[in-house]
Amino acid sequence: MKSFVKITAGFLAVVIISAFISYSIAGFNIEKVKGFSVTDRGSTYQKLKWKSNQNVSGYKLYQRNVNSNEYTLIATVNSEKTTEFTVKDLDMESFYTFKICAFKSFLGYEKTGEFSKVVETFTLPRGENIEKVSEERVSSLTVSWTCGINCTGYEIEYALNDDFSDAKVIDIPKRTTLSYRIDNLQKGKTYNFRLRSYIAQGEDKFYSDYCESLSATVKAVADDVEIDETKPVIALTFDDGPDFSGASKRILDVLEKYNIRATFFTVGENAEKNPENIKRKVSLGCEIGNHTYDHSHYGSDVKKSDITKCSDVIQKITGSRPTVFRSTGGMTTQTIKNVCKKEGMSIYYWSIDTRDWESRNAKKIIKKAMTAKDGDIILMHDIYQSTADAVEKIVPRLLKKGYQFVTVSQLVKLKTDSAPVNGVQYMSGSKTK
Ligand code: ZN
């Protein structure tokens, strides 16, 4: 009986003390944690900080589960003074939500305060690698890379020097874009490339590290283009250039963009004044033809020297003598044919005259050019802006219709199954005149 009283008394004492402790701890006012924020982030971690509370035992950090939307306790910080915590082993390029509260514990009892505001954050992109830099065409390089998980976009840097101090930056604001062609690079030069991915949040961008850099050399001379003999072919020809108005350059930009070839019947005197233009034409795989030295004589007035002097100029610039010729005004005489035969040149008239020199009207030029059929030779001049305007439209439209562009020698070879004959004048791939 005595012992029962003792036990009961002891039990009562424990209950009373517990109730007291629990009551006193309940009486603590635990403030909501303030200043909860992200101070640093990486691709697999988040560094969180908050303001210290008074008279607490520590803090409890919770992370929201993306699927259930419920919060799980991920860390307990057992110190009032510790006000930062790094959450590690997170997934890359992922979004996370955290919240925190302070707690007070006393003899096994615990009370937690109100939760802080939630912090919505994300880990940095893992950073993608450049898979390759390819060099299919003159003056251009194409960069391709691996796809990010959740990033917003990519930034490509390219530079001639190794430390990227002169780098140019290209923004690719779409995760699913995985290659980009950079045009107008310096031929024969080696460029360095590197890439980083980013997550955009409002105005800010959060970047991955740069991938290892890769270098590639810009092609200086176009490779031969494979011609599909079952598909129609057309030869674009341009006379009288090069010019200094920029028209010739614009036409070359179009040829370069679409990686196609044309033939330029050059005036020797103009070539002498603009050898860089001729060199670019050669590098693009175009054919350089003879169109007399100064375009001052026609038909029977054309002297042998008008022809040979032009070939001399072309040889000096390109290293080889032209093998194709077009008469000034298309007026070919037997004498011209004889000279060309001796000089190793076939002669070219045309089957479609755009009359670009006359109309100077892009619409009219396009209309004429679009009547072209398989085997046609189209006459234009690379000295008019209106012709350049037209070429910008003609090339993609004819390509869309399934035409391939070839030089005049290639055209004759394809249509006659043999090399063009010197001294013979062709007016299309197969017709002579
Ligand atoms: Zn001419």
Side-chain angles (χ1 to χ4, degrees):
M1 189 65 192
K2 227 177 180 182
S3 66
F4 171 76
V5 171
K6 244 184 202 167
I7 291 163
T8 311
F11 176 74
L12 267 173
V14 168
V15 168
I16 289 163
I17 290 165
S18 307
F20 174 73
I21 295 166
S22 136
Y23 172 79
S24 15
I25 206 167
F28 277 124
N29 180 27
I30 303 176
E31 284 188 5
K32 183 172 166 179
V33 177
K34 299 218 169 67
F36 187 46
S37 58
V38 174
T39 53
D40 190 19
R41 54 164 64 81
S43 58
T44 60
Y45 71 88
Q46 292 289 315
K47 200 169 177 185
L48 301 160
K49 71 152 196 196
W50 56 90
K51 282 196 176 130
S52 171
N53 272 19
Q54 296 282 313
N55 293 317
V56 295
S57 310
Y59 309 91
K60 287 176 184 286
L61 182 63
Y62 289 78
Q63 179 184 326
R64 192 174 74 188
N65 182 303
V66 186
N67 300 317
S68 68
N69 264 342
E70 277 169 18
Y71 283 86
T72 315
L73 175 68
I74 55 161
T76 302
V77 177
N78 287 306
S79 157
E80 175 192 301
K81 297 272 176 283
T82 306
T83 56
E84 58 176 41
F85 187 83
T86 301
V87 188
K88 290 177 186 157
D89 300 323
L90 297 172
D91 291 333
M92 293 179 271
E93 293 177 40
S94 299
F95 293 84
Y96 289 94
T97 307
F98 299 102
K99 62 183 183 180
I100 195 167
C101 63
F103 72 95
K104 173 92 179 168
S105 58
F106 185 62
L107 297 173
Y109 288 86
E110 187 176 287
K111 187 189 177 186
T112 51
E114 201 184 327
F115 278 111
S116 66
K117 68 169 171 66
V118 299
V119 158
E120 287 178 329
T121 182
F122 50 87
T123 45
L124 293 183
R126 65 177 167 188
E128 302 308 317
N129 286 316
I130 293 177
E131 282 185 323
K132 62 172 188 229
V133 181
S134 40
E135 21 191 85
E136 298 105 28
R137 57 174 78 194
V138 171
S139 304
S140 301
L141 289 170
T142 302
V143 187
S144 6
W145 57 90
T146 53
C147 189
I149 311 160
N150 259 327
C151 66
T152 318
Y154 312 93
E155 230 178 58
I156 303 169
E157 276 198 6
Y158 65 99
L160 283 166
N161 56 18
D162 291 342
D163 62 4
F164 287 88
S165 57
D166 66 347
K168 288 197 173 134
V169 181
I170 297 163
D171 181 30
I172 312 283
K174 199 174 167 201
R175 187 183 69 91
T176 48
T177 304
L178 298 177
S179 77
Y180 187 84
R181 198 181 80 219
I182 305 166
D183 292 324
N184 302 316
L185 296 171
Q186 294 180 49
K187 280 177 224 159
K189 293 273 185 187
T190 299
Y191 285 85
N192 298 299
F193 294 85
R194 65 182 185 180
L195 178 130
R196 58 180 178 171
S197 40
Y198 63 81
I199 290 177
Q201 287 282 304
E203 298 280 291
D204 297 323
K205 279 180 182 172
F206 298 89
Y207 295 96
S208 71
D209 291 336
Y210 282 107
C211 72
E212 218 165 284
S213 70
L214 220 74
S215 66
T217 304
V218 184
K219 194 167 277 201
V221 178
D223 287 340
D224 287 340
V225 170
E226 195 104 3
I227 303 294
D228 182 346
E229 291 185 26
T230 64
K231 285 184 183 163
V233 284
I234 283 173
L236 296 176
T237 64
F238 298 92
D239 293 3
D240 300 356
D243 69 332
F244 285 92
S245 73
S248 186
K249 184 198 167 289
R250 285 181 58 206
I251 289 166
L252 294 182
D253 289 344
V254 177
L255 303 184
E256 188 171 305
K257 180 176 176 188
Y258 294 99
N259 197 24
I260 62 162
R261 319 281 177 262
T263 306
F264 292 88
F265 291 103
T266 269
V267 171
E269 196 180 48
N270 294 344
E272 253 172 354
K273 289 176 195 154
N274 197 351
E276 287 312 310
N277 173 285
I278 303 294
K279 284 179 188 165
R280 185 173 174 209
K281 285 166 177 166
V282 172
S283 78
L284 292 174
C286 292
E287 188 162 29
I288 306 297
N290 182 322
H291 195 45
T292 76
Y293 178 71
D294 60 11
H295 213 290
S296 62
H297 300 129
Y298 294 80
S300 53
D301 289 341
V302 174
K303 297 189 293 282
K304 189 188 172 200
S305 63
D306 288 324
I307 297 171
T308 54
K309 213 174 158 191
C310 179
S311 288
D312 292 345
V313 171
I314 292 170
Q315 182 173 22
K316 203 176 160 199
I317 298 168
T318 69
S320 46
R321 289 182 90 70
T323 60
V324 294
F325 176 84
R326 177 174 279 158
S327 301
T328 42
M331 295 153 75
T332 305
T333 61
Q334 191 54 49
T335 312
I336 291 173
K337 284 184 178 179
N338 293 342
V339 174
C340 285
K341 192 177 176 182
K342 234 181 133 188
E343 288 291 315
M345 291 190 286
S346 46
I347 308 163
Y348 295 85
Y349 198 74
W350 51 83
S351 50
I352 291 185
D353 185 356
T354 61
R355 302 196 77 78
D356 61 337
W357 57 274
E358 193 180 55
S359 74
R360 311 282 177 94
N361 178 313
K363 270 192 182 161
K364 286 185 179 170
I365 300 165
I366 294 165
K367 204 176 164 194
K368 275 275 185 188
M370 291 310 291
T371 64
K373 302 173 305 295
D374 183 30
D376 272 334
I377 296 175
I378 303 179
L379 169 65
M380 287 185 271
H381 298 78
D382 61 325
I383 55 173
Y384 306 116
Q385 296 294 342
S386 47
T387 301
D389 292 340
V391 170
E392 284 171 358
K393 299 279 191 308
I394 292 166
V395 167
R397 286 187 195 175
L398 287 174
L399 281 172
K400 211 175 169 189
K401 285 176 84 174
Y403 286 101
Q404 303 169 101
F405 293 96
V406 291
T407 64
V408 287
S409 327
Q410 288 171 329
L411 184 74
V412 170
K413 216 169 169 186
L414 280 163
K415 292 301 168 192
T416 65
D417 263 337
S418 59
V421 181
N422 295 335
V424 168
Q425 177 168 265
Y426 297 86
M427 58 181 294
S428 72
S430 52
K431 282 188 197 149
T432 54
K433 180 184 157 105

